[in-house]
Amino acid sequence: MPTVAPEVMARYEAVIGLEVHAQLDTVTKAFCGCSTKFGAAPNSSTCPVCLGLPGALPVLNKRALELALRASLAINCTIQPRSRFARKNYFYPDLPKGYQISMYELPLALAGGIEIEVEGEKKRIGITRLHMEDDAGKSLHEGFPESDRWSYIDFNRCGVPLIEIVSEPDLRTPAEAYAYLNTLKQILEYTEVSDCNMEEGSLRCDANVSVRLRGAPKFGTKAEVKNLNSFRYLAHALEYEIERQIGAIEAGGTISQETRLWNVAAGRTEPMRSKEFAHDYRYFPDPDLLPVMVSAATIDGVRQAMPELPDAKVARFLRDYGITPYDAGALTSTRAVADYFDAVVKEGAPPKAAANLLLVKLFSLLKDAGKSVSESPLSPRNFAKTVIAAESQQITASQAKTILGIGFESGKDFDVILKEGNFSQISDASAIEKIAREIVAKNADNVAKYRAGNEGVFKFFVGQVMRETRGQANPQLVNEIVKRVLSE
Ligand SMILES: [Zn+2]
């Protein structure tokens, strides 16, 4: 693909809509009692219903409906009093029923929207609809003894409950699409609708992309790009596809309405073979399933049970904890981090100091260990004790970081680490003064510089005292004493 000059790119704008599939976090499948557990032995979680055997009758999983309703409210959609499952007919080896069960002409919820933020700019992205459907199985093309000759099939995923969330074509840049998917993921995780594990396929994304000259009233012809199953792929594929379309139009060509696949290895979108997208699904209402009737009382119940959403949590952290907006954003990035922080504050740690140590020290420990906050060996209780000790100047800030490091490595209690490590802050003014005087006596040239007005040398003396005390001296006291000794 020839690259398009930036000034040409700038004359166009992209129009992007996303279709996001999320697996509902249920124990059993959408219409049968089979387990949804990921990684079970192939074909071990199947039954006549999810295999579509003749005579088997599906029954809607109540929990799946509750989670779909919760998701609908969390993204501000209007729940329809009556929705209905249809059969979406097509043939594929991983679809033993010969059809997917999906809400079609009567979806569960309509007309919602969420707010995204890109580089400080807030924007509302409309959501067209949310509907429920079931998943297909998986064809496995590698990793088996005869993979060179056969494809293998695993029906465990057949009938796993999904929601599909379709956005309005309100997104204009890959960065906005990225922010939208991220915000949506955060909401679905917070509300425990889905674990949104992208590696396990719990969150999947397709994009509809078109381009038009800036200011043009009509949308251009769109292409659907499939297989955008990581944030990185989404951004790369959109960047590629936008430039491809602009390049084609600039070269005098047209865009054909087609389904394209993001080829990860090649780093480009490619048209899928035509027979694979020329579908006529022959939708019709599923005769085995009753329409879904949702009463106002049910919706009220779902609303009552709604966990705190990310935006509400940010507002509470700002209001109750007095931390900065930046810290509040970082501490609510996932529900697990927010819960951890809440627990630390509940243990009595001052919020500002706790936020600081958490974002700086705990995050770096977790990153180095490749762990998530829910796997942290440091309990909120021990974390809080360390923060409290540092705030009351029982230990220094650098000791606090050391103690957190030891606790993270060993899983030991704060009190044990404190005792074993002989951590305490030197707040004995006479001891510090003695060290300060020795250092001043040894560094006559720097003393002269300081007295000649070179303020920068002051830090040198403080640093020397801290080094002599192995970081255990009370920094405030060191500052005062060094200043006094130097000015004598
Ligand atoms: Zn089953």
Side-chain angles (χ1 to χ4, degrees):
M1 185 184 78
T3 52
V4 181
E7 60 271 21
V8 176
M9 293 282 287
R11 288 198 279 118
Y12 287 83
E13 74 172 356
V15 175
I16 304 162
L18 294 190
E19 293 171 10
V20 175
H21 286 91
Q23 181 181 329
L24 296 172
D25 202 2
T26 56
V27 177
T28 57
K29 293 186 181 179
F31 304 107
C32 64
C34 291
S35 165
T36 56
K37 199 168 160 44
F38 183 85
N43 300 307
S44 62
S45 304
T46 56
C47 75
V49 173
C50 54
L51 292 175
L53 300 187
L57 283 174
V59 177
L60 178 59
N61 180 336
K62 191 178 171 199
R63 183 66 183 154
L65 177 61
E66 282 168 4
L67 292 176
L69 291 172
R70 186 187 283 178
S72 303
L73 291 183
I75 58 173
N76 306 301
C77 283
T78 304
I79 292 167
Q80 302 303 293
R82 184 171 179 271
S83 48
R84 187 162 66 189
F85 286 103
R87 290 188 181 178
K88 180 182 182 179
N89 298 281
Y90 66 97
F91 173 78
Y92 206 75
D94 65 12
L95 192 75
K97 297 198 300 290
Y99 58 87
Q100 183 188 18
I101 301 175
S102 177
M103 288 172 171
Y104 180 57
E105 88 288 14
L106 295 175
L108 188 70
L110 294 168
I114 58 174
E115 194 172 68
I116 62 164
E117 189 172 330
V118 176
E119 287 169 11
E121 296 273 324
K122 290 194 169 160
K123 181 174 176 184
R124 187 178 191 273
I125 305 301
I127 287 167
T128 316
R129 59 187 271 158
L130 180 152
H131 65 256
M132 299 179 74
E133 57 188 32
D134 71 351
D135 208 346
K138 258 186 227 172
S139 302
L140 306 166
H141 304 292
E142 48 195 41
F144 292 92
E146 295 191 83
S147 281
D148 54 333
R149 299 201 300 142
W150 307 102
S151 280
Y152 291 72
I153 194 97
D154 179 3
F155 289 134
N156 282 351
R157 207 175 63 182
C158 286
V160 161
L162 305 176
I163 46 173
E164 179 174 345
I165 298 169
V166 182
S167 86
E168 290 286 305
D170 289 346
L171 302 158
R172 291 291 172 272
T173 63
E176 286 184 6
Y178 189 102
Y180 169 80
L181 185 61
N182 198 34
T183 306
L184 197 58
K185 177 172 183 274
Q186 202 188 24
I187 291 171
L188 296 176
E189 282 173 341
Y190 259 75
T191 49
E192 294 174 343
V193 165
S194 172
D195 66 15
C196 293
N197 186 326
M198 291 182 107
E199 282 87 48
E200 295 180 2
S202 301
L203 190 73
R204 290 170 253 160
C205 180
D206 304 328
N208 288 304
V209 190
S210 65
V211 298
R212 62 179 171 186
L213 283 169
R214 280 182 196 279
K218 278 203 201 154
F219 290 152
T221 305
K222 68 183 177 185
E224 185 183 11
V225 186
K226 286 193 172 287
N227 200 24
L228 307 177
N229 298 332
S230 85
F231 281 93
R232 209 154 41 96
Y233 297 168
L234 175 70
H236 287 173
L238 289 177
E239 278 160 17
Y240 179 93
E241 183 60 19
I242 291 165
E243 188 167 355
R244 181 190 75 82
Q245 293 188 12
I246 293 172
I249 293 168
E250 283 290 314
T254 52
I255 304 301
S256 46
Q257 183 159 350
E258 62 183 354
T259 301
R260 299 175 71 88
L261 206 60
W262 173 242
N263 182 326
V264 178
R268 60 172 181 250
T269 66
E270 293 168 346
M272 285 169 75
R273 277 167 301 157
S274 62
K275 66 176 182 186
E276 274 183 319
F277 64 83
H279 282 311
D280 173 6
Y281 293 120
R282 293 172 294 124
Y283 280 99
F284 64 88
D286 192 310
D288 291 341
L289 286 159
L290 290 167
V292 179
M293 312 293 277
V294 185
S295 68
T298 303
I299 296 172
D300 265 356
V302 172
R303 193 170 271 129
Q304 302 282 333
M306 180 77 74
E308 188 177 38
L309 290 168
D311 282 353
K313 210 174 277 278
V314 169
R316 177 168 63 82
F317 280 14
L318 290 174
R319 187 184 65 233
D320 294 356
Y321 296 158
I323 57 178
T324 65
Y326 177 85
D327 285 358
L331 289 168
T332 53
S333 56
T334 69
R335 183 161 168 191
V337 171
D339 286 349
Y340 189 93
F341 182 63
D342 264 334
V344 167
V345 176
K346 215 173 195 175
E347 291 287 347
K352 276 187 191 174
N356 189 28
L357 263 185
L358 202 158
L359 294 174
V360 174
K361 189 61 186 176
L362 183 60
F363 271 26
S364 90
L365 288 168
L366 290 169
K367 195 174 166 223
D368 291 347
K371 287 188 163 132
S372 73
V373 73
S374 45
E375 300 164 322
S376 169
L378 272 172
S379 69
R381 189 182 178 79
N382 279 317
F383 190 90
K385 281 185 172 179
T386 313
V387 179
I388 293 165
E391 277 296 283
S392 65
Q393 309 211 337
Q394 187 192 349
I395 55 173
T396 65
S398 80
Q399 287 172 340
K401 287 181 187 167
T402 307
I403 289 171
L404 290 177
I406 295 169
F408 193 92
E409 285 296 319
S410 65
K412 282 181 185 167
D413 263 14
F414 169 81
D415 301 307
V416 174
I417 299 168
L418 198 65
K419 206 180 259 176
E420 286 179 354
N422 195 22
F423 288 104
S424 59
Q425 176 158 288
I426 301 171
S427 293
D428 176 353
S430 63
I432 295 173
E433 185 171 335
K434 185 164 170 277
I435 294 166
R437 287 192 184 283
E438 282 167 16
I439 289 164
V440 165
K442 268 190 264 175
N443 292 280
D445 49 340
N446 276 332
V447 174
K449 276 186 203 163
Y450 178 78
R451 288 181 179 155
N454 185 346
E455 296 276 330
V457 191
F458 180 70
K459 277 193 188 141
F460 161 80
F461 287 105
V462 171
Q464 291 294 308
V465 175
M466 292 308 283
R467 216 175 74 174
E468 275 299 306
T469 57
R470 297 200 316 276
Q472 293 185 13
N474 176 331
Q476 219 176 331
L477 209 52
V478 172
N479 266 298
E480 284 167 23
I481 289 168
V482 168
K483 199 165 267 179
R484 179 157 50 77
V485 169
L486 280 172
S487 61
E488 274 169 2

